Structure formats: C-alpha cells, structure tokens
Amino acid sequence: MDDAIFIARLDAQIIETPSWAFGNTGTRFKTFAAPGAARSVWEKIEDAAEVHRMTGIAPRIALHIPWDKVDDAAALGRFADERGIAIGAINPNLFQDEEYRLGSLTHPDARIRDKAMAHLHDCVAIMHQTGARDLSLWFADGTNYAGQDDIRARRRRLRAGLQTCADILPDDARMLIEYKFFEPAFYYTDLADWGAALLHAQALGPQAQVLVDLGHHAQGANIESIVAILLDEGKLGGFHFNARRYADDDLIVGSTNPLELFLIYAELVAAADDPATQACARGVSYMIDQSFNIEAKIEGMIMSILNCQEAYAKALLIDRAGLAAAQAEGDALGAHRILLDAFRTDVRPRLAAWRRCHNLPEDPLRAHREGDYLRAIKRDRGVIATGGGYGD
C-alpha cells in the first residue's frame, strides 16, 4: 500500500470511548479510587475530549443510561460538540434494577418486560436529542438452573421486545445486539453467542446488526472467523474492544493477545476492499469497553486507542496480492508468513509521522502525563470515595 492510501486510511479510523471507563469502576470485589477520576457525565465528556486531543482518532463518546442521564440531553450533546466530540452509542441499563433479577425483556412477568421497554423508549428519545446513531444492547438475561424457565418462550419474548424497539428507532439509526456466553446467567443465557444474535438481527431487518465484544467468548474461540462470517452476512455492526485472559476481564486492548487483535483488523481491512462486504465493513462502529481498576483512567484509554491504531496500521500493510497467490497455490506456511511479516512490522515511526502531520503529540501518553489537563483534574477533582464494585 502506497503512503497516500495508507495515510488516508489512517485518517478515516475512528474509535469511540466509553463514558463509564472515565469514572471509578472496578471489579465486583472492590473499586479503587483514582485521583482526578470523572465525577459526572460532564467530566467524562471532558476526559474523552482529552483522549481525542492526544490521539486524533477518538471523536465520539458512548453513554450509559441511566448512569449518564441528565435533564437536558440536547444540552449534553451541545456540551460535547463544543469540546470537539460527539455523542456515540447509547447503552441502556437493563441489569441493575431489583426487578430484573429474572430478566428484562425475557422476564416471565409482562409488567417487568413493559418496564424494560419503557427504558428502551427513553434511550431512543435520548438518541433523537443527541443525534446518536447506535443503540447498543446487552442483556444480562438468562437462567441459573435447568427448568427455571422455558427457553423457547424466553426467546420469543426477547424477539418481540427487540422488534418493538426496532420499530421506534430513528430512520438512520441502528440496533447493535451484543452477546455473551455466560455471566451473570450460568445455565442458559438468552443471547449466548454470535449465532443467537445473528438470527435475531436477520429477523429484525437492516437496522439490526451484531456487536462483538472481545471478552464475551469461550477460551480459544476464533474471534476473527466470527468477524469474517458476520461481515460476509452483512451483519457486523460494531465492536467492544478490550482484552482478557480468562473471562470478561476488560483489560487494555491488545495487552494479552496482540496477534488476535491484528488478525481481527486483517479481516476488517480485507472486507473493506471487497465489493461484496465493503458497505458493511465501512459501517462498523469501533468502541472501547473497559473497566480500569488499577490503571489511570485517561492513560488506559489512550493506550487502548493507540494499540487499536497500531494493529490497524499493520493490517493495512499486509501483502494482499502475495497472500492471495500463496493461498491459491495451497502454500500454507507461505501465506501464514506473509501475515506474520505484517504483524512484525514496526509501524511506530510511521504513526509518529502521521501524528506530526496532524499536529498531534508524537507520544500521546507522555504528552498527557506531562500536560496541564492531568494536573488540573487531579487538583480540582481530588479523590472520591468508592463502594464495592463495577459502576460504583
């Protein structure tokens, strides 16, 4: 790939940051307070703007409702716009209320399902007010014991709820259906894998697509193959990027398996150049989904963004013609070596040059650490007390 195309592709990369990563969040056991952590959605937006100033590729922030709910969502959107970023995906919360102990849209009690749907209506209204494009749906719904509920009945309830939600979406908006094979439901999860999410998305029509969270798979799952299949079906809508070693660890992207991250980007780059999958690949939303427990919030986010940019840059350098020739000849090791050559390429000098061209700091992490913004938030926000676990 020549330099002009390489630069143009880097220019087009967008990674969305999550509001919940800027506040004090942690494990189910303990949340450790961080100096300067955001105390409100307004401060989360300011932190997201700092990440974008440092990296140049993070111009949107995802919101979690009701954690980030305000009286005037349109004013929140204007506040973000004034700081150079936009409101990204809206993430409903259908797992924290006491009534959702047995599920939300799949709950056997119609009154609870109606409550969940009312919350989705509220979230769609926020989309209208902020101009958000994506409604990102993850459900903790499931059962812990065989016989606890009727599996087929739960599936039908979920389909009906999703259809009602799809019917009220803005015309240009999308519903991203996320799956997770376990936790907190340990016997049966209503959206346990990409196949379940895909079947619902196909039934619901063009506005419904699948969201892939890198932490939501069984050990050893070939996530890049899932990405390739969803792209081929025209149903890959978005990512929640993170990293894990054991379960849904929400570690910094690329910190545990950088080769996997590269191979996922390799599929995305190839699909963006294939006329059969180009439209789907170019519409994918890239989002970070992490919970920083011991890391500094903004530093962790910057590092995740940079790791995504580096993996993408390496994927752009794959010798596609050579790879296709090796594959056609059945040269298994030759084809594999071509991929590894791109993965082993040190793209940091080229990325530093790209940042210079865009008046960005060559070392964004260092620039943030040494900048006025970090000193100001540590001074002005201090350290707030925390409770037990995630979301406190």
Side-chain angles (χ1 to χ4, degrees):
M1 179 176 292
D2 67 39
D3 286 343
I5 296 176
F6 181 76
I7 293 297
R9 297 289 282 270
L10 287 178
D11 287 348
Q13 187 180 24
I14 290 176
I15 309 288
E16 191 170 301
T17 59
S19 69
W20 52 95
F22 294 112
N24 280 319
T25 58
T27 70
R28 69 190 65 179
F29 304 110
K30 173 64 179 174
T31 295
F32 298 101
R39 302 163 297 181
S40 68
V41 64
W42 311 94
E43 292 181 350
K44 294 172 184 177
I45 287 173
E46 290 176 338
D47 290 354
E50 166 72 357
V51 173
H52 185 45
R53 283 192 297 271
M54 295 296 104
T55 66
I57 60 169
R60 294 198 300 254
I61 180 172
L63 301 183
H64 205 294
I65 307 299
W67 297 346
D68 298 321
K69 190 172 183 180
V70 296
D71 292 335
D72 188 343
L76 189 69
R78 292 192 296 272
F79 180 84
D81 184 65
E82 290 166 1
R83 283 147 185 81
I85 60 173
I87 302 301
I90 303 299
N91 294 256
N93 184 317
L94 293 169
F95 55 85
Q96 282 196 321
D97 289 3
E98 289 290 332
E99 294 93 332
Y100 296 144
R101 182 169 60 91
L102 300 179
S104 58
L105 289 185
T106 64
H107 199 288
D109 189 334
R111 293 174 302 165
I112 307 303
R113 298 198 299 273
D114 289 345
K115 174 182 175 175
M117 186 53 61
H119 178 58
L120 293 176
H121 274 265
D122 288 344
C123 290
V124 171
I126 292 172
M127 294 177 71
H128 279 287
Q129 295 167 42
T130 61
R133 177 193 180 200
D134 294 328
L135 184 70
S136 183
L137 299 174
W138 175 73
F139 300 92
D141 294 26
T143 63
N144 279 352
Y145 298 97
Q148 178 181 325
D149 202 355
D150 185 302
I151 292 174
R152 285 177 290 114
R154 292 180 70 88
R155 185 172 185 271
R156 291 166 187 164
R157 293 174 208 144
L158 179 59
R159 175 68 60 80
L162 291 174
Q163 183 64 67
T164 300
C165 187
D167 291 342
I168 62 172
L169 283 177
D171 291 340
D172 60 346
R174 305 183 305 171
M175 171 193 298
L176 304 183
I177 304 172
E178 186 175 0
Y179 57 90
K180 188 175 187 179
F181 80 110
F182 85 105
E183 191 191 40
F186 293 102
Y187 172 69
Y188 168 73
T189 303
D190 288 291
L191 280 167
D193 57 29
W194 65 273
L198 175 62
L199 288 172
H200 284 299
Q202 288 175 327
L204 293 167
Q207 284 183 287
Q209 294 184 298
V210 179
L211 186 148
V212 175
D213 185 305
L214 301 193
H216 288 194
H217 302 83
Q219 291 280 30
N222 186 330
I223 299 175
E224 54 267 33
S225 72
I226 296 169
V227 170
I229 293 168
L230 291 174
L231 284 165
D232 213 39
E233 292 294 324
K235 282 297 184 180
L236 180 64
F239 279 96
H240 275 177
F241 279 131
N242 49 57
R244 62 82 182 267
R245 290 190 66 85
Y246 301 107
D248 191 16
D249 301 337
D250 277 348
L251 300 174
I252 287 172
V253 184
S255 61
T256 59
N257 192 345
L259 178 60
E260 177 184 72
L261 182 63
F262 162 77
L263 293 174
I264 289 169
Y265 268 112
E267 292 297 335
L268 290 159
V269 169
D273 292 329
D274 179 354
T277 53
Q278 190 174 80
C280 179
R282 294 185 177 181
V284 172
S285 290
Y286 298 92
M287 298 170 267
I288 305 292
D289 181 14
Q290 291 173 210
S291 173
F292 300 117
N293 193 29
I294 62 172
E295 312 94 323
K297 312 301 179 181
I298 298 175
E299 288 186 12
M301 190 58 64
I302 289 173
M303 191 166 182
S304 284
I305 297 291
L306 297 182
N307 285 350
C308 287
Q309 187 182 41
E310 186 172 323
Y312 178 55
K314 290 180 177 182
L316 291 173
L317 298 180
I318 295 171
D319 178 4
R320 295 290 173 182
L323 182 62
Q327 291 169 343
E329 294 168 4
D331 184 358
L333 292 183
H336 181 61
R337 185 177 179 182
I338 288 170
L339 280 182
L340 291 184
D341 283 345
F343 174 66
R344 291 167 176 157
T345 301
D346 185 358
V347 296
R348 289 174 298 176
R350 298 182 76 168
L351 292 176
W354 177 84
R355 294 185 191 111
R356 287 195 299 271
C357 289
H358 291 77
N359 295 315
L360 296 165
E362 289 187 32
D363 186 340
L365 187 57
R366 174 180 290 180
H368 167 68
R369 283 186 168 185
E370 298 176 352
D372 294 335
Y373 186 81
L374 180 59
R375 285 191 289 272
I377 62 174
K378 284 184 175 181
R379 179 192 66 234
D380 298 339
R381 298 178 188 174
V383 180
I384 60 173
T386 64
Y390 188 85
D392 289 341

